[in-house]
Amino acid sequence: MKAGRVQAKAGRVQAPSEPLPYARLDDLRHIHATTLLLAGIPVHVVASRLGHADPAITLRVYAHVIRSAEAAADVFTKASGMSLRTSVSKGVSKKPSRMIREGF
């Protein structure tokens, strides 16, 4: 297979429609970590994947991602007109036992 080509499912070789943008290995690593954190993967799992000895390193490097996700959740909560406590008291939450353990 020539460089710059991908193998299609049907077995034919197709050229990509557009070349991929330039990205360093560190850029791809950062995108991977950011995507995992935004998907709700626990920090200790992301830290382990990145090879960080301590999740605190991951938290320091990716704190902006976690803060922006929390801010987005706050905006959604305000827009929906429902607080977390309201949703628990109305039985909307699917896992109230977890929220009780976490102090909500």
Side-chain angles (χ1 to χ4, degrees):
M1 188 184 321
K2 292 183 179 179
R5 296 183 178 257
V6 294
Q7 186 73 29
K9 286 184 181 180
R12 297 181 312 256
V13 176
Q14 293 179 324
S17 58
E18 293 182 24
L20 293 173
Y22 175 78
R24 299 171 300 160
L25 187 58
D26 284 339
D27 297 334
L28 298 175
R29 186 173 191 253
H30 182 71
I31 290 168
H32 177 65
T34 302
T35 304
L36 290 174
L37 290 168
L38 289 175
I41 305 299
V43 173
H44 72 278
V45 174
V46 176
S48 175
R49 263 205 171 167
L50 295 175
H52 293 164
D54 185 6
I57 297 167
T58 309
L59 287 170
R60 271 197 308 273
V61 174
Y62 295 98
H64 65 283
V65 174
I66 296 167
R67 280 192 221 113
S68 68
E70 288 173 352
D74 289 343
V75 168
F76 177 77
T77 301
K78 287 178 186 175
S80 69
M82 193 181 279
S83 71
L84 183 59
R85 293 186 190 277
T86 304
S87 64
V88 170
S89 66
K90 289 186 176 181
V92 174
S93 173
K94 293 182 180 178
K95 296 190 179 190
S97 60
R98 180 174 156 217
M99 294 178 141
I100 291 168
R101 281 195 311 270
E102 294 175 358
F104 292 104

